[in-house]
Amino acid sequence: MCPECEDFARTVLLLGQLALYADTTGADLHFVDAVSPSLAASLPQPPTGEES
């Protein structure tokens, strides 16, 4: 897998895990609110024409 593809996939995975965490009982929503915008902003552009 190309490095850009790995970065994109890893960031999408982290965003998904953060969303799942936000829906759990007792989740620290202040943490979610603080981290999610930064994580979303760090999302690289999707790789073009690359398939794994």
Side-chain angles (χ1 to χ4, degrees), residues 34-52:
V35 172
S36 57
S38 299
L39 190 55
S42 74
L43 188 64
Q45 292 296 318
T48 56
E50 298 286 336
E51 293 187 25
S52 53

Side-chain angles (χ1 to χ4, degrees), residues 3-43:
E4 293 84 16
C5 298
E6 289 180 38
D7 288 346
F8 183 79
R10 184 179 309 113
T11 305
V12 169
L13 177 65
L14 287 170
L15 282 167
Q17 290 174 333
L18 186 61
L20 289 173
Y21 170 70
D23 286 338
T24 61
T25 303
D28 182 349
L29 297 181
H30 293 290
F31 171 78
V32 174
D33 288 342
V35 172
S36 57
S38 299
L39 190 55
S42 74
L43 188 64

